Amino acid sequence: MDGVGNTKRLRRMVGVLMGAAALMAGTAGCGGSGKAAGADRAGAPADGAVASPGGTPGPGPERLKALLVAEGEKFGPYEVGEPLLDEPMSEDYEARPAQCRPLTSLGKAGHTAQAFAKASVPDEWQAIDTEILLRSYRDAGAAAAAVKSLADAGGRCAGGYTEDRALVEAKVLKVEPVRAPALGDEARAYRIVTQDVKDPGIALYKYLTVVRSGSVTLAFRSDVMDTKDFGGVPQEIVTGQWDKFAKGSAASAS
């Protein structure tokens, strides 16, 4: 059981360290070539939307953040907390074989803008910890391709793979599809069974749910500081985020 708590504490510690490193890298980048920075911004829409050569562009970072649940919002017993990083730790993970990567870092399947928030049950030792990540793609086709890569990985990597978590490696024992919510244009959901990094005899559970709506994907990743199978991403969190996203998207379209 110590390995369970240590795994999550290690993830948080690495998150803080990587966040600091990202901040230092960003500060150093401010002194870089003005030509390169200008090239990145050239031709970008004034509202910050992601440019699309053939289709409706996905929302830019600021708009995406407005569609994300905010810190302090409550959905049943769950309250949105402050994220450790601007993006979740999982986006920095790698997988072996590489074809399993979408199960660990869907953003590496071509994301172009993202926002992140973390929801958790406060003041409870065995709380369900859920990360929410909205990703904006260049168009609906690109977002659909990312979800397809996730579906392909779910099938090819059902028997397990290795997850590189920067400071440690974790053995994923199996990946199983579970019932996905009937939301958006399509949705996928998986139960991922992982071997504890400290005690190989302990199996840990986490759940991943991804919903696509047009050029945006809404991803939910849940786990617990315990060995129990908690049954999935809390429905209240999925519904709460979806409602905010759907209402915000409808308002901007009107």
Side-chain angles (χ1 to χ4, degrees):
M1 287 296 295
D2 286 344
V4 180
N6 288 340
T7 298
K8 295 195 77 174
R9 283 192 291 272
L10 178 61
R11 185 181 70 177
R12 284 166 169 76
M13 179 183 73
V14 174
V16 172
L17 292 174
M18 294 187 72
L23 179 60
M24 292 176 65
T27 303
C30 291
S33 168
K35 179 179 180 181
D40 290 341
R41 292 192 297 268
D47 62 357
V50 179
S52 171
T56 303
E62 293 306 313
R63 179 59 190 151
L64 204 59
K65 288 179 182 179
L67 298 172
L68 189 68
V69 291
E71 183 179 352
E73 289 190 67
K74 295 182 178 181
F75 306 101
Y78 306 100
E79 181 175 353
V80 180
E82 181 181 2
L84 291 177
L85 295 173
D86 290 336
E87 57 183 305
M89 273 292 300
S90 58
E91 287 303 284
D92 295 308
Y93 290 172
E94 293 290 347
R96 296 194 308 274
Q99 65 186 14
C100 304
R101 183 182 292 171
L103 289 161
T104 292
S105 304
L106 183 62
K108 293 184 177 180
H111 78 278
T112 50
Q114 59 187 18
F116 165 65
K118 174 182 156 186
S120 63
V121 180
D123 301 324
E124 295 211 15
W125 176 251
Q126 295 183 351
I128 297 176
D129 188 15
T130 301
E131 294 174 339
I132 306 172
L133 181 62
L134 273 57
R135 299 180 179 91
S136 176
Y137 294 78
R138 67 178 182 272
D139 54 30
V147 176
K148 183 180 184 302
S149 75
L150 174 64
D152 291 343
R156 294 173 180 172
C157 306
Y161 61 96
T162 299
E163 191 173 73
D164 184 350
R165 302 179 178 179
L167 296 183
V168 297
E169 289 186 349
K171 177 66 177 177
V172 175
L173 303 176
K174 59 182 175 179
V175 178
E176 302 172 323
V178 295
R179 186 173 182 175
L183 299 172
D185 297 312
E186 59 180 324
R188 299 278 177 173
Y190 299 92
R191 182 177 81 150
I192 302 172
V193 184
T194 307
Q195 187 179 72
D196 186 77
V197 296
K198 184 175 181 180
D199 187 344
I202 293 179
L204 306 176
Y205 299 89
K206 60 182 178 180
Y207 284 83
L208 171 66
T209 294
V210 175
V211 178
R212 181 181 69 84
S213 178
S215 59
V216 175
T217 59
L218 299 81
F220 307 83
R221 187 184 298 270
S222 295
D223 62 5
V224 296
M225 197 178 294
D226 192 10
T227 58
K228 66 181 179 182
D229 184 347
F230 55 96
V233 177
Q235 186 59 45
E236 298 96 328
I237 296 175
V238 175
T239 301
Q241 173 58 81
W242 172 257
D243 287 348
K244 181 163 186 176
F245 172 81
K247 289 176 182 176
S249 298
S252 62
S254 61

